[in-house]
Amino acid sequence: MSKSGALDLAFGVGGRMDKKEVKSAVEQYENYHGYFGGDEETRKANYNDMVNKYYDLVTSFYEYGWGESFHFAPRWKGESLKESIKRHEHFIALQLGLKRGMKVLDVVCGIGGPLREIARFSFASITGLCNSEYQITRGKELNQQAGLSESCNMVEGDFMKMPFPDNTFDAIYAIEATCHAPDVLGCYKEIYRALKPGQCFAAYEWCLTDHFDPTNESHQKTRALIELGDGLPDIRTTNECLEAVRLAGFEVVWAKDFALDSPVPWYLPLDPRRLSMTSFRLTAVGRVITKSIVKTLEFVRLAPAGTGRVSSVLDKAAEGLVEGGRKEIFTPNYFFLARKPL
Ligand SMILES: C[S@@+](CC[C@H](N)C(=O)[O-])C[C@H]1O[C@@H](n2cnc3c(N)ncnc32)[C@H](O)[C@@H]1O
C-alpha cells in the first residue's frame, strides 16, 4: 500500500532508528557538512554513517513528496512529472537492451521505484543493491504488493564492496545513486568487476558542469547546499566522472547531459516560482504546508523531535538544486553508456 499520507511521513522519519535518536541524528548529520563547518575528508571517511543517517531521516519525506522513484528527469512540454520519470527509466532500459532472461543489477535501488518499472517494461530479472535496511524492507513490501517478488530482488550492501562474484550481471544501471560514493573510481571498479565482459553499464550521474567555477563563492555556496540537502560527500564534474568510467576499464559508448536541452527544466518541480496541482507537494506552497503539518505533528508528539529540522535540511536541498539548475552549474541528468571490453 502506498505510504503517502502525512501520518506515514511522520511515523517513517528516522527509519529504523530509535525515534528518540532522530534529533541527535539530524544534528550529527548536519555537522558532517561544509554548510555547518564540516569537511569533505570526514564525510568521505564516514560515508556509510552519513548516508545512512540521511536516508533514515528523509526516506518518508521522499515517498510523501516524490513517490517511489527518487530521481529527476528531463521533461517534454505537456508531460507530467510522473510520466517523465517513467520515460527516463524506460530510456536506460532501452539503452542497455534489457529483455527477458537477462540478469540485471540496479546500483542502487532505494525503495525500488525504477527497479519495478524497468522490470515491468523489459521483463528482465533485476537485483537492487542498497545500503539502507529501511529502504530494502520498504522496497520488498512494494515488490510484493506489485506482484514482482519473483523478478525483483533486493540485497543489502555497500556499492564500494558489492556482495556479488566477478562477472555476474548481463547489464548494470545506476540512477542518481553513485553520487553518494566517497570515491567514484572505486565504485565504478566494483561495477566493472560484477559485470560480464562485453556487457554494458549505464548511469544518470549528479555532476558539476563546465559552468561551475571553484573560485566563485556563490557557486561554492550552492554546491554546499546540494551536498547538505542530499547526503553527498562531494560532487564531481562531468569530466571527472567520465574519466573515472574510463580509468575503471570501460569503453565509453556515448555520454550526454540531458539537462542541457530539456524543454522543461529538471528542477522545475522544486522551483518556488512554480505552482502545479499534479506535483503540488513539491512546490514552495506545498512544502510550506508540509512543514506546518510536520511541526504540528512534532508538537503533539506524533512525529519524533527533530522532524522539523529534517524538513529544513530538505528545504536546503531544494534551494541548492534550483540555484544549481538555474545557474547551469549542476546537473542530475548526466547520462553515459559504457561497455566492459571482451
Ligand atoms: C537518490 S537515491 C536513488 C535510488 C534509486 N536509484 C531511485 O532512483 O529511486 C540514492 C540511494 O543510494 C543509496 N546509497 C548511498 N550510498 C550507498 C552505498 N555506499 N552503498 C549502497 N547504497 C548506497 C541510498 O541508500 C539511496 O537509496
Side-chain angles (χ1 to χ4, degrees), residues 47 51 55 70-71 108 110 114 130-131 135 157-159 175-176 180:
Y47 70 95
V51 170
Y55 279 104
F70 298 166
H71 64 85
V108 287
C130 184
N131 66 349
Q135 292 190 346
D158 182 352
F159 55 40
I175 301 183
E176 301 186 21
H180 292 290

Side-chain angles (χ1 to χ4, degrees), residues 3 31 51-52 64 75 78 86 91 112 132 139 152 163 172 175 191 194 198 210 237 250 272 285-287 324 341:
K3 283 196 183 173
N31 288 334
V51 170
N52 264 322
Y64 176 83
R75 197 160 142 201
K86 282 186 192 245
F91 179 82
S132 160
C152 297
I172 302 186
I175 301 183
I191 290 171
D210 290 345
T237 62
F250 289 104
V285 183
R287 293 204 307 273

Side-chain angles (χ1 to χ4, degrees), residues 193-249:
R193 182 187 65 72
L195 187 64
K196 289 181 187 166
Q199 303 304 111
C200 284
F201 165 46
Y204 297 125
E205 276 291 359
W206 281 32
C207 289
L208 297 170
T209 69
D210 290 345
H211 295 292
F212 179 80
D213 172 4
T215 64
N216 181 319
E217 243 179 69
S218 117
H219 288 190
Q220 288 292 10
K221 188 189 146 245
T222 303
R223 174 193 186 146
L225 278 171
I226 298 174
E227 287 170 352
L228 166 71
D230 298 280
L232 303 181
D234 70 346
I235 314 176
R236 28 260 157 187
T237 62
T238 50
N239 290 334
E240 286 165 346
C241 180
L242 220 50
E243 182 61 10
V245 179
R246 291 196 179 100
L247 285 174

